Amino acid sequence: MTATGEPFLPFALPEIGEEEIAEVLDTLRSGWLTTGPKAKQFEDEFAAYLGGGVEAIAVNSATAALHLGLEALGIGPGDEVITTTHTFTATAEVVEYLQATPVFVDIDPSTYCIDPELIEAAITPRTKAIIPVHYAGYPCDMPAILDIAARAGVRVLDDAAHAFPTRVDGALIGTIGTDATAFSFYANKTMTTGEGGMLVTRDPAIAKRARVMRLHGIDRDAFDRFTSRKPAWYYEVVAPGFKYNLTDLAASIGIHQLRKIDRFLDRRNALASRYDAALADLPLRTPPRPLAPSSHAWHLYVIRLDPIARLGRDELITALHERGIGVSVHYIPLHLQPYWRDRYSLEPGQFEASQAFYERTISLPLFTRMTDSDQDRVIEALHELLGR
Ligand SMILES: *Cc1c(COP(=O)(O)O)cnc(C)c1O
């Protein structure tokens, strides 16, 4: 409760219904808790939702999906992988898991997504892959990025942790011609399994490798069960793999979240439109909108304060908090994080767009269970604090 007696409005909350709860109970009673029939069903239904002939490989985080994707692309020591400084650390850390080097480039200040021209300028003979991040749920300039990648002979693994579902020229991200795509089902994402992720690809070799590496490098298809004399208990370890499988307990939640995703998207769209209209006359920039038939998933609604605004970012966050409103900042760019800054001698001046955006942005509350009157509290507080 706040001083005015209103409950605290968090920045994000999951929406879990009775369907998810019943499915988890069913799984608990079934006796099969870890990866099994529900994880398989979740993969099949996720792939069917995306369409385009993709395969979906369920894992226990998007970080795992990014790691498996890069591993399946053959990224290794000495390779360079280009990504943006304006992301969560997971996007870059997976590159170092494979002893490769992340190469950070700035964002396009009009979209907050990685700038294709800067990708082009960063390509060297060691560049093996690009990881674009669809920031907030806004699609990166994928035609330009795919064109650069094709000309340079490098692979593309997109970080779609914010971008389910987002469309690029009408096609859902995951089906748009990247080598693979990683989705997140972390608790505050557009759908959740508590913790979870999905690697999606149309390339059978990438799918095969990721399935093997997600569970200890165990290959159960190494022989044909029906013609071989080897029994069902037999398996072969073909690589030192990982422990990244998604449990049936988590998949039980995902199956029902997926069935609600279009309703969730409608609600996020409606909230984003209400913010756009209500904040238009304040000294701030509302988020960019892609032109139809491209679309936005609205994982985040991020405002950027104009330099003339009465309050700076930190003062505004404090004042909103005092009014019982939770907000966040996405992201503290990687070039400011001690590890990345020191390891690659990164300076704020190298990333002017990201730096300027970071210094003046706030992510407002946006989640499906938020009511219009919850949102009106945020809008009224912003008018009170920033209006003339
Ligand atoms: C949430 C997030 C991740 C990591 O997702 P997990 O499922 O928590 O591993 C990666 N990249 C971005 C941009 C994210 O927002």
Side-chain angles (χ1 to χ4, degrees):
M1 290 284 189
T2 62
T4 55
E6 284 170 302
F8 187 79
L9 178 69
F11 148 76
L13 267 186
E15 177 173 335
I16 300 293
E18 291 307 317
E19 301 82 0
E20 286 87 335
I21 292 168
E23 196 74 46
V24 170
L25 291 179
D26 180 69
T27 302
L28 285 170
R29 292 189 176 109
S30 76
W32 193 282
L33 305 187
T34 185
T35 308
K38 302 258 172 107
K40 173 79 169 70
Q41 181 188 345
F42 182 39
E43 287 181 335
D44 291 347
E45 293 180 6
F46 196 85
Y49 181 91
L50 290 177
V54 297
E55 282 188 66
I57 299 109
V59 289
N60 56 17
S61 70
T63 309
L66 289 165
H67 184 195
L68 290 176
L70 284 184
E71 201 278 340
L73 291 177
I75 306 304
D79 294 341
E80 292 176 358
V81 177
I82 298 172
T83 191
T84 168
T85 186
H86 214 93
T87 187
F88 183 56
T89 193
T91 316
E93 78 195 24
V94 294
V95 176
E96 290 208 352
Y97 288 0
L98 296 161
Q99 281 85 52
T101 303
V103 174
F104 298 103
V105 304
D106 207 350
I107 51 174
D108 174 338
S110 66
T111 65
Y112 314 137
C113 287
I114 192 165
D115 184 335
E117 284 182 22
L118 297 176
I119 295 176
E120 182 123 51
I123 285 181
T124 74
R126 305 180 124 182
T127 308
K128 289 285 156 51
I130 303 164
I131 311 181
V133 179
H134 308 291
Y135 178 81
Y138 184 102
C140 294
D141 184 351
M142 295 311 294
I145 292 170
L146 288 168
D147 179 58
I148 292 164
R151 280 188 283 113
V154 308
R155 317 293 292 269
V156 180
L157 166 66
D158 45 342
D159 179 339
H162 301 182
F164 184 71
T166 291
R167 286 178 191 273
V168 174
D169 295 334
L172 285 167
I173 281 177
T175 70
I176 58 171
T178 62
D179 292 286
T181 304
F183 294 98
S184 176
F185 310 130
Y186 183 68
N188 69 6
K189 297 286 163 60
T190 54
M191 63 167 269
T192 187
T193 59
E195 297 278 1
M198 196 73 85
L199 184 71
V200 166
T201 181
R202 207 180 272 146
D203 181 334
I206 294 173
K208 169 87 206 296
R209 178 70 179 178
R211 283 187 201 286
V212 167
M213 294 307 280
R214 113 181 119 173
L215 196 66
H216 304 298
I218 289 173
D219 191 346
R220 289 187 183 273
D221 305 323
F223 63 95
D224 183 338
R225 238 172 248 239
F226 301 101
T227 56
S228 161
R229 280 200 219 111
K230 294 192 182 98
W233 50 261
Y234 182 81
Y235 61 86
E236 289 181 357
V237 174
V238 298
F242 310 103
K243 184 71 198 303
Y244 282 165
N245 55 303
L246 187 75
T247 66
D248 268 22
L249 282 171
S252 304
I253 305 171
I255 287 165
H256 292 280
Q257 291 275 293
L258 180 62
R259 289 179 189 166
K260 299 172 182 179
I261 194 67
D262 291 335
R263 171 169 68 77
F264 287 175
L265 178 64
D266 285 348
R267 182 62 188 147
R268 287 180 177 279
N269 260 314
L271 289 163
S273 297
R274 280 187 97 237
Y275 272 141
D276 277 1
L279 305 180
D281 55 349
L282 292 178
L284 54 83
R285 183 186 186 228
T286 57
R289 284 183 168 267
L291 289 178
S294 291
S295 72
H296 201 308
W298 296 112
H299 164 52
L300 300 173
Y301 189 92
V302 183
I303 56 168
R304 192 186 66 190
L305 296 174
D306 291 343
I308 57 148
R310 204 156 57 206
L311 300 182
R313 179 199 61 191
D314 295 352
E315 297 162 301
L316 183 60
I317 290 174
T318 304
L320 287 169
H321 211 264
E322 281 164 9
R323 285 160 177 75
I325 295 167
V327 295
S328 193
V329 174
H330 295 90
Y331 289 93
I332 306 164
L334 298 184
H335 68 265
L336 298 180
Q337 294 292 1
Y339 175 74
W340 299 112
R341 179 194 64 204
D342 297 346
R343 173 147 170 87
Y344 296 106
S345 306
L346 305 175
E347 309 272 352
Q350 290 171 260
F351 306 96
E352 276 176 28
S354 169
Q355 183 74 27
F357 183 50
Y358 162 64
E359 286 169 3
R360 292 195 268 123
T361 58
I362 300 180
S363 304
L364 299 181
L366 180 69
F367 54 95
T368 56
R369 285 164 61 194
M370 197 175 156
T371 63
D372 286 2
S373 69
D374 289 334
Q375 189 178 31
D376 289 339
R377 270 179 66 195
V378 182
I379 292 165
E380 280 157 27
L382 287 169
H383 275 269
E384 192 190 315
L385 293 163
L386 296 173
R388 265 147 233 282

